[in-house]
Amino acid sequence: QQQQPQENNMDVEVEGETEGARAPLDEEMLKDVRFPLTLGNGELVVEALGEIIADHPLYHDNNYIFPVGYRARRTCANVPGQIKPQIYFCEVMHCGKQPLFR
């Protein structure tokens, strides 16, 4: 008998499974994640994951989520015409019925 995921669980892709396969992700797995979260060799820093607005369909669909409050910065060292590495910021903001990407 298959156990139902708890209400607070999230679904995530399961590595090595067929496309679209999902498995419950217990919040306990994320308890040690601290922000800002530096990924790669420091090129990407996730400052905040944000929140999914479930009752607005333009903030999510079957393939994408646009969590309000998501913030990240990416450092690009090889920008043509630039000597210093460039830092780009990304943020998803609430703008009424649809997300605003800044």
Side-chain angles (χ1 to χ4, degrees), residues 31-51:
K31 71 177 183 176
D32 294 327
V33 176
R34 303 285 183 251
F35 292 94
L37 177 64
T38 302
L39 302 170
N41 292 328
E43 298 98 7
L44 177 63
V45 177
V46 177
E47 297 174 352
L49 290 180
E51 292 184 40

Side-chain angles (χ1 to χ4, degrees), residues 10-81:
M10 298 179 287
D11 286 344
V12 294
E13 293 287 332
V14 178
E15 192 172 319
E17 295 288 331
T18 59
E19 185 176 337
R22 306 256 182 224
L25 174 63
D26 192 312
E27 290 178 12
E28 185 71 17
M29 295 174 72
L30 298 175
K31 71 177 183 176
D32 294 327
V33 176
R34 303 285 183 251
F35 292 94
L37 177 64
T38 302
L39 302 170
N41 292 328
E43 298 98 7
L44 177 63
V45 177
V46 177
E47 297 174 352
L49 290 180
E51 292 184 40
I52 299 170
I53 300 180
D55 60 345
H56 287 295
L58 294 178
Y59 286 85
H60 61 88
D61 63 22
N62 289 339
N63 297 307
Y64 304 102
I65 57 171
F66 307 111
V68 172
Y70 171 84
R71 288 188 320 274
R73 63 182 185 266
R74 178 175 291 280
T75 302
C76 295
N78 298 323
V79 178

